[in-house]
Each structure stands twice: as structure tokens, then as C-alpha cells.
Amino acid sequence: RQPVQWQEAVVSTQSTGTREGKLAELPHSFIDLLVRGSTYTCPKIVNGKSRFLAVCLVCGDMVCFQSYCCSEDVNGGSIGPCNVHANRCSGSLGVFLTLEKCQVLFLPLGTQGMHYLGPYVDKYGESFKSSRNKAMTLSDKLYKKIEQMWVKHEIRPLVSRNSDSEYGRIDNNGRQN
């Protein structure tokens, strides 16, 4: 395996196939996203099934999450699958939706990341963290807020300010601290 080199510049959203200034489109129902995840096959696992998955909100691709299958060596150290994908997709900042807990993962490359409330809510407007209900729908208001944070470059400062986040910090291998 060849070591990956960090990209020097941020790649524009147009080069990733997304709409300029917009995150990837998500299905209205969280269950539809889980069904899509159930059909995902990891290219590096023999049986093809990864236990934890995330959706890149920049391009919409499904990627392995918190696993070693798609980790790669970069500049003498190992980075996890979300960092690998973000490096190739957006250049310096990964924005993912984890399917296990329906949380957004903000992942500035080369630093620690953090979890943030996901854009799916139940019929009472509660997030997955409080409802534990998979029958959730996309909240346009919450997703627009995440999108605006991304467009306005507010994610890196948020991550650096929230070292004691209620969701926990994420290291370069995607492991929660």
C-alpha cells in the first residue's frame, strides 16, 4: 500500500460533484439511509460488511467509520477511513453523518474532530440521542444549519472551542476520546 499525502489546498465543492455551496442531498427518512447502508460493501473486507458506516455530507458517498479496514498510512502515521475519504473528497475538512448514532462528525484533517447533533428528528422533534427511534425524518432546519456552518467556515472554530464537547472528541483514527 502506498502512503497517502495530505492535500495542500482545499478542493472546491464543484470538483466533488456536489452543488456549489450545498451539502449532499439526504433522503427524507432515516430508515431509507439505513437501508442504503445495509447494501454497502467495503472494498477491503472479505465479506464486504463494515460494522459502522458514515455518509460523507460533502459528496454523499458511504464510507467505513471507526474501523481499521480502510485506514491508511499518511506521513508516518495511520489515519482512519473518514480522514482518508475527507482528504480525497474535500481536502481539509470532513463532514459525515454516522449511521449508528445519527450524529454529524466534524473532522478537520490533522486535528481531532467532534460529534454534533444529526439532522434527523422523530415526530416530537427530538434527535436520535434522546429518542433512540429510527423512525426519524430529515429536519430541513437542522440540515440547513449544518450546511451554513460548512459554507461559512464555522466548523473548525467550533471544533477548537469545544474540546469538552458533550459528544466527545474524535482522534485521527475515528476513535472517540
Side-chain angles (χ1 to χ4, degrees):
R1 208 168 31 164
Q2 292 293 325
V4 177
Q5 298 297 316
W6 289 114
Q7 291 180 355
E8 293 297 321
V10 175
V11 178
S12 77
T13 56
Q14 288 180 321
S15 67
T16 64
T18 62
R19 304 161 293 152
E20 185 175 356
K22 301 278 186 186
L23 291 175
E25 290 186 35
L26 292 175
H28 182 69
S29 169
F30 185 61
I31 291 173
D32 291 341
L33 201 55
L34 292 175
V35 168
R36 180 176 159 217
S38 72
T39 64
Y40 175 77
T41 55
C42 173
K44 295 188 178 182
I45 297 179
V46 174
N47 68 4
K49 293 296 176 191
S50 182
R51 188 169 168 211
F52 302 111
L53 297 173
V55 176
C56 174
L57 295 181
V58 176
C59 70
D61 284 355
M62 192 77 60
V63 297
C64 296
F65 172 66
Q66 289 189 329
S67 65
Y68 294 104
C69 58
C70 296
S71 296
E72 293 188 11
D73 295 327
V74 176
N75 299 333
S78 178
I79 62 170
C82 288
N83 271 303
V84 170
H85 178 82
N87 183 46
R88 293 180 180 141
C89 175
S90 58
S92 67
L93 175 67
V95 183
F96 298 90
L97 176 64
T98 65
L99 297 189
E100 180 194 17
K101 294 184 180 178
C102 191
Q103 292 177 335
V104 172
L105 170 63
F106 293 140
L107 200 57
L109 297 180
T111 65
Q112 292 187 335
M114 69 173 271
H115 280 116
Y116 191 78
L117 284 177
Y120 287 93
V121 295
D122 65 13
K123 64 182 177 181
Y124 303 107
E126 295 178 336
S127 67
F128 181 82
K129 184 175 182 183
S130 57
S131 78
R132 301 281 184 216
N133 182 357
K134 301 226 189 273
M136 298 184 298
T137 56
L138 183 65
S139 165
D140 292 330
K141 182 179 177 182
L142 288 175
Y143 197 47
K144 190 69 160 171
K145 179 180 179 182
I146 295 164
E147 187 174 74
Q148 287 303 306
M149 291 169 64
W150 176 68
V151 168
K152 293 179 180 180
H153 305 282
E154 296 172 350
I155 294 173
R156 282 183 187 278
L158 175 70
V159 171
S160 65
R161 281 193 312 267
N162 287 290
S163 61
D164 296 325
S165 169
E166 65 181 279
Y167 299 109
R169 303 280 287 177
I170 307 297
D171 67 18
N172 284 330
N173 284 313
R175 303 280 181 220
Q176 190 162 353
N177 293 335

